[in-house]
Amino acid sequence: METTKIKWMIKKDLLTLWRHKIQVASLILFPIMMIALCGWGMGGTVEHTPVIIVKQTSGPITDQAINAIKSDITYDVKDIVDDVQQAKDKVDNGDVRAAIILSSNFEDDATRNAVLYIDSSDQLTTQTLVPKTEMIFASLSEEVGLSQVSSNTTTNPITSTVQTIKLQVNKIYGDIDYIDFLLPGVLAMSTFMSSMMTMGNSIAGERERGELARLFMTPTGISTVLTGKIISQLIREMMMAFILVFSAILLFNVVINGSLLLLFLVIFTSTLCFVGFGMMFSATAKTQEDYIQVVLPIAMPMMFICGVFFPTETMPWILQKIAYFLPLTYANDAFRAVMLKGAGIEAVAIDLLILLGFTLIFFVVGVSRFNRDI
């Protein structure tokens, strides 16, 4: 082996890397970002879950229950109301994750009970909230029972144990299997990642291979080229998305609770947005490698921030705020609403409008920055 020439080859490759500042920055920042997001996204605990409390009576035991819930970091009590239906509507609309309903006779020994009305479409939150709530009311029951025994010597300790607070758990979407919870997020993420990679090959890759230059030697405008590529990518990604959905139905008996027509609309809108996202970054990329180095540090962290695998509540608050500025968050929310909750168009209309807004921005920026002469 020619040691000197090997050294020169290594030097050449490292100098080439150094000249591509984008690749150098990605090489340094991408691993740090991924390990940080893995730690925050996959190792966090569910805290500050938005809930609402229904208080239908007043008394020391009611106050004790409310204070116990407020003092636990698992909950973020958004409001205390006296209307049961109002609280349930807030859960149904997604304003809060759960409603803790204290009965109208909560101060009465014979009929003291509570209901946890919870949105079970978020599996990890449900798995945390249900046992935590059961533990709080079990502890409260024990305290109430002991206080009754100490204040009334004629009370039988066994009887006081029976007179505990009965907690009923009402999961409004039933018990959700993990595959049911995971599929909407995987569908959104797969569509997003596939759109990113294929748009890089379709524009940046063809530019690197000289195919775009030869194409523009013909009497063909930029709008014609981009429109053709966008439509072809839409067809490709829509086919992939429906193959993924029907494969999950056939292999794992996944149930789609909502309208297939509405699901088609959500897939179409999300795909259009993601294709625009890829086009915006590939518009000025000189090579496909440059495109990948720019897109990966943006695209990969989205799966942790946008709630694909784990709820955003497990992350630091700054990442929760960043999630609102990422299109995958709204695609993921719309997919879960239709597939898990059976939601109608009115429930996902805001998500779709936001995705269309992102799409408009991506296309305007992409077309304005597109350079046919690179």
Side-chain angles (χ1 to χ4, degrees):
M1 295 180 64
E2 301 179 68
T3 306
T4 303
K5 291 184 178 180
I6 292 175
K7 291 180 180 178
W8 278 107
M9 288 297 298
I10 296 172
K11 184 177 180 179
K12 179 189 76 68
D13 288 344
L14 292 177
L15 286 173
T16 301
L17 173 64
W18 180 252
R19 292 190 185 103
H20 291 77
K21 302 303 182 185
I22 293 176
Q23 295 184 28
V24 175
S26 178
L27 180 67
I28 297 172
L29 297 177
F30 186 61
I32 298 173
M33 187 183 303
M34 288 304 297
I35 193 64
L37 291 174
C38 282
W40 286 327
M42 301 176 69
T45 56
V46 177
E47 297 179 351
H48 306 296
T49 305
V51 300
I52 188 170
I53 297 176
V54 178
K55 175 184 176 182
Q56 302 181 80
T57 187
S58 298
I61 300 178
T62 301
D63 294 339
Q64 193 175 353
I66 293 175
N67 290 334
I69 295 168
K70 282 185 172 182
S71 62
D72 195 299
I73 62 172
T74 305
Y75 309 92
D76 178 12
V77 179
K78 295 297 184 182
D79 198 4
I80 299 177
V81 299
D82 56 10
D83 188 338
V84 175
Q85 191 56 49
Q86 178 188 353
K88 289 183 175 181
D89 289 342
K90 284 187 173 293
V91 178
D92 295 339
N93 296 334
D95 298 329
V96 294
R97 291 293 177 90
I100 301 175
I101 305 169
L102 307 181
S103 66
S104 57
N105 297 319
F106 198 70
E107 297 293 329
D108 188 341
D109 292 345
T111 57
R112 188 180 296 125
N113 60 75
V115 176
L116 175 64
Y117 185 82
I118 185 168
D119 177 355
S120 58
S121 62
D122 188 333
Q123 192 189 51
L124 184 58
T125 301
T126 303
Q127 290 177 344
T128 301
L129 216 60
V130 170
K132 174 60 71 172
T133 307
E134 290 174 339
M135 185 178 70
I136 285 178
F137 279 99
S139 177
L140 180 61
S141 297
E142 184 178 354
E143 292 177 14
V144 172
L146 290 175
S147 65
Q148 288 177 343
V149 172
S150 61
S151 62
N152 188 353
T153 56
T154 62
T155 302
N156 190 328
I158 298 178
T159 305
S160 67
T161 304
V162 175
Q163 295 173 346
T164 56
I165 302 172
K166 297 177 182 179
L167 177 67
Q168 175 187 343
V169 178
N170 188 351
K171 300 177 181 179
I172 60 178
Y173 300 113
D175 290 317
I176 302 294
D177 293 331
Y178 188 61
I179 185 63
D180 294 310
F181 168 78
L182 192 61
L183 178 60
V186 169
L187 179 58
M189 183 193 69
S190 299
T191 305
F192 176 69
M193 295 300 295
S194 180
S195 299
M196 295 298 95
M197 297 302 102
T198 53
M199 283 305 292
N201 178 66
S202 181
I203 296 180
E206 289 186 11
R207 178 183 283 124
E208 183 180 5
R209 295 188 297 268
E211 296 174 17
L212 274 184
R214 291 193 294 271
L215 181 61
F216 284 129
M217 289 178 183
T218 66
T220 305
I222 291 177
S223 59
T224 302
V225 172
L226 293 181
T227 300
K229 290 189 175 298
I230 289 167
I231 293 176
S232 65
Q233 291 302 315
L234 275 173
I235 295 172
R236 174 175 175 163
E237 299 306 323
M238 294 287 288
M239 290 176 58
M240 186 208 70
F242 276 101
I243 290 172
L244 179 61
V245 170
F246 288 114
S247 297
I249 293 173
L250 293 174
L251 296 176
F252 301 104
N253 297 318
V254 171
V255 177
I256 307 299
N257 294 313
S259 164
L260 286 178
L261 185 62
L262 182 57
L263 180 59
F264 175 86
L265 178 62
V266 172
I267 293 175
F268 178 82
T269 307
S270 301
T271 303
L272 185 64
C273 179
F274 299 152
V275 168
F277 187 84
M279 188 200 70
M280 179 179 67
F281 285 100
S282 63
T284 57
K286 295 181 180 180
T287 66
Q288 189 172 357
E289 187 175 3
D290 282 347
Y291 169 79
I292 292 174
Q293 295 298 329
V294 171
V295 166
L296 276 183
I298 300 173
M300 288 295 289
M302 283 195 191
M303 72 176 68
F304 300 105
I305 296 177
C306 299
V308 172
F309 300 108
F310 303 94
T312 55
E313 285 85 353
T314 63
M315 301 177 195
W317 69 270
I318 185 64
L319 296 184
Q320 297 180 34
K321 302 304 179 184
I322 291 175
Y324 289 111
F325 296 94
L326 302 175
L328 187 57
T329 298
Y330 303 97
N332 186 45
D333 185 63
F335 276 118
R336 285 213 167 99
V338 174
M339 298 174 71
L340 293 182
K341 302 178 182 180
I345 183 65
E346 68 284 348
V348 298
I350 294 179
D351 289 322
L352 296 180
L353 288 175
I354 293 175
L355 286 171
L356 289 174
F358 275 119
T359 303
L360 179 62
I361 294 172
F362 295 153
F363 281 133
V364 169
V365 174
V367 172
S368 63
R369 295 180 64 216
F370 191 87
N371 191 344
R372 60 182 289 171
D373 299 322
I374 292 180

